[in-house]
Amino acid sequence: MIKVNEVGWIEKEKPACGPKDAIVRPLAVSPCTSDVHTVWEGAIGERTNLILGHEAVGQVVEVGSLVKDFKPGDTVIIPAITPDWEAVESQMGFSQHSGGMLCGWKFSNVKDGVFAEYFHVNEADGNMAILPKNVPIEEGVMLSDMVPTGLHGADNAEVAYGETVVVIGIGPVGLMAVAGSNMRGAGRIFAVGSREICQDAARKYGATDVINYKEGDIVKQIQEANSKKPVDKVIIAGGNLDAFEQALKLVRPGGIISNVNYLGSGDYIKISRLDWGVGMGHIRIVGGLMPGGRKNMEYLSNLLKYRKLDVSILLTHRMKGFENIEKGLYLMKDKPRNLIKPVVTV
Ligand code: NDP
Ligand code: ZN
């Protein structure tokens, strides 16, 4: 990212390795819709000469003197969120915000990201995990961000057996929210999106109903299909600021609206007083950044290792060569109809 609205290639020094850190070279990376919000919406403010990217599987090239569990040559998953584990926020259970709001999100936010020949990982023992041998590196990249974010949406919604869940937005993140809801035992899952390839994938991940927002008001469509009954949970993984209003119209008293969408523009979200039970409806609205960290990556990688979750469905565009990262980023920006997620091996 040269500056807001401009990307290109830059030369930088190879990063230095602190005693607890690692230097890694990427083996496979994937651009994220968040990179698009950051560059083309300026969603987190100006950034200049910042290396983008926060989804990678890589090979360790150097470790600091205090790193115990990793060595050069290891193939590792690097989560998008790499907290400072000693921070008070981490001790309180919100490592995503170690050091301040969103500060566990370092790559392509407050420090250089993974679209580089070498990148730096803070607190290597706490923030990397060995990629299981039977998981292909391209699929492993989905553990950096897409899998943990979608599952976080379902976790924050506290999806329970038999519940009816709506997932607004079924790009790769929403699809993993569908899969997460399904794994947590949801009964009926409405998936909202228009790209056919995403709709098909949603069905594979457990959606029972697919709703196209381009074919009319999603609230009406879902209410009609659900015999006018409210739903238990709504997960927002796409759409625009109207999604909160829509979710409030859909969810039952005591229900949960769980947002993982990166709200790239606009100043306020609207909460309708009446739909929110005039402030007394016990409807919780929660928004969360995905949890990073080693143990989480180890648990999630088991889903791939033991074939409980097939992320190969997401990988519609596979490319080879460092220079194709830029092409991948533009694919993520332009979202052709046949795209779910690009991955680049380097
Ligand atoms: P995509 O752009 O691939 O998917 C967005 C989805 O929203 C698509 O299914 C799209 O439908 C749908 N959509 C668009 N407009 C509407 C609308 N008006 N009503 C309903 N649905 C609509 O995004 P990703 O899956 O890659 O990412 C989703 C979000 O998650 C992004 O904001 C990303 O930045 C964020 N994110 C958040 C993280 C976190 O930790 N919380 C981590 C990673 C990403 P279609 O294209 O089919 O028309
Ligand atoms: Zn991301």
Side-chain angles (χ1 to χ4, degrees):
M1 176 172 182
I2 310 287
K3 57 183 174 49
V4 167
N5 277 321
E6 190 183 336
V7 294
W9 295 99
I10 53 173
E11 288 284 346
K12 281 200 171 185
E13 291 295 317
K14 184 178 165 189
C17 188
K20 292 182 173 176
D21 307 340
I23 302 300
V24 176
R25 75 175 180 90
L27 297 174
V29 298
S30 183
C32 177
T33 305
S34 300
D35 294 311
V36 174
H37 290 302
T38 300
V39 175
W40 285 284
E41 283 180 302
I44 47 173
E46 184 59 283
R47 297 284 189 276
T48 52
N49 295 330
L50 175 77
I51 298 174
L52 292 169
H54 50 255
E55 301 182 14
V57 162
Q59 189 178 55
V60 177
V61 293
E62 187 182 345
V63 293
S65 57
L66 299 177
V67 173
K68 294 191 282 283
D69 299 330
F70 297 92
K71 57 180 187 320
D74 286 345
T75 298
V76 291
I77 309 154
I78 302 94
I81 306 303
T82 53
D84 301 312
W85 288 99
E86 287 172 7
V88 288
E89 293 84 357
S90 302
Q91 292 167 32
M92 290 186 289
F94 295 95
S95 57
Q96 298 94 319
H97 307 289
S98 63
M101 180 75 85
L102 305 181
C103 289
W105 172 24
K106 298 181 189 303
F107 291 128
S108 70
N109 178 12
V110 292
K111 80 167 190 187
D112 283 329
V114 303
F115 297 164
E117 287 156 298
Y118 298 98
F119 59 87
H120 166 269
V121 183
N122 60 297
E123 295 189 32
D125 280 330
N127 283 321
M128 307 194 304
I130 299 285
L131 181 74
K133 286 214 158 40
N134 69 337
V135 176
I137 54 170
E138 287 126 306
E139 293 180 25
V141 178
M142 296 300 103
L143 293 166
S144 298
D145 192 354
M146 299 298 97
V147 175
T149 301
L151 268 50
H152 191 52
D155 288 345
N156 281 345
E158 298 175 19
V159 174
Y161 300 132
E163 285 188 340
T164 298
V165 180
V166 173
V167 179
I168 301 179
I170 46 167
V173 169
L175 287 170
M176 289 300 97
V178 170
S181 300
N182 195 45
M183 285 190 276
R184 291 183 63 109
R188 191 169 193 185
I189 303 175
F190 287 92
V192 181
S194 83
R195 275 176 277 163
E196 225 175 282
I197 190 160
C198 297
Q199 295 178 342
D200 290 344
R203 288 189 191 94
K204 287 185 191 142
Y205 285 125
T208 49
D209 301 73
V210 165
I211 301 288
N212 186 342
Y213 66 94
K214 292 187 176 164
E215 286 173 3
D217 180 13
I218 65 167
V219 174
K220 274 201 191 120
Q221 292 190 66
I222 293 168
Q223 282 175 340
E224 217 143 274
N226 203 36
S227 317
K228 307 260 186 284
K229 287 202 280 284
V231 305
D232 298 294
K233 309 287 166 64
V234 179
I235 301 170
I236 301 175
N240 51 33
L241 292 181
D242 294 341
F244 291 87
E245 263 189 302
Q246 294 165 333
L248 273 170
K249 287 195 189 318
L250 288 165
V251 80
R252 65 167 162 83
I256 300 176
I257 297 168
S258 163
N259 178 77
V260 284
N261 203 12
Y262 173 174
L263 306 176
S265 52
D267 289 328
Y268 298 98
I269 59 169
K270 279 184 267 178
I271 296 177
S272 144
R273 184 176 59 84
L274 289 179
D275 292 327
W276 205 36
V278 290
M280 298 183 283
H282 292 103
I283 296 170
R284 274 181 285 162
I285 303 175
V286 56
L289 178 66
M290 63 151 265
R294 169 178 173 177
K295 193 63 219 167
N296 187 32
M297 289 299 111
E298 289 175 352
Y299 278 136
L300 296 182
S301 66
N302 276 341
L303 297 175
L304 272 56
K305 180 176 176 182
Y306 297 106
R307 306 189 202 290
K308 303 272 175 167
L309 178 65
D310 177 7
V311 294
S312 69
I313 297 168
L314 303 178
L315 302 176
T316 51
H317 291 62
R318 294 169 188 250
M319 293 175 283
K320 280 195 174 28
F322 202 76
E323 63 287 356
N324 279 317
I325 294 174
E326 190 171 14
K327 196 168 160 196
L329 181 65
Y330 277 103
L331 278 169
M332 224 39 196
K333 174 175 183 279
D334 299 334
K335 302 267 154 70
R337 306 290 299 171
N338 62 351
L339 177 91
I340 301 181
K341 186 85 176 169
V343 65
V344 185
T345 45
V346 289

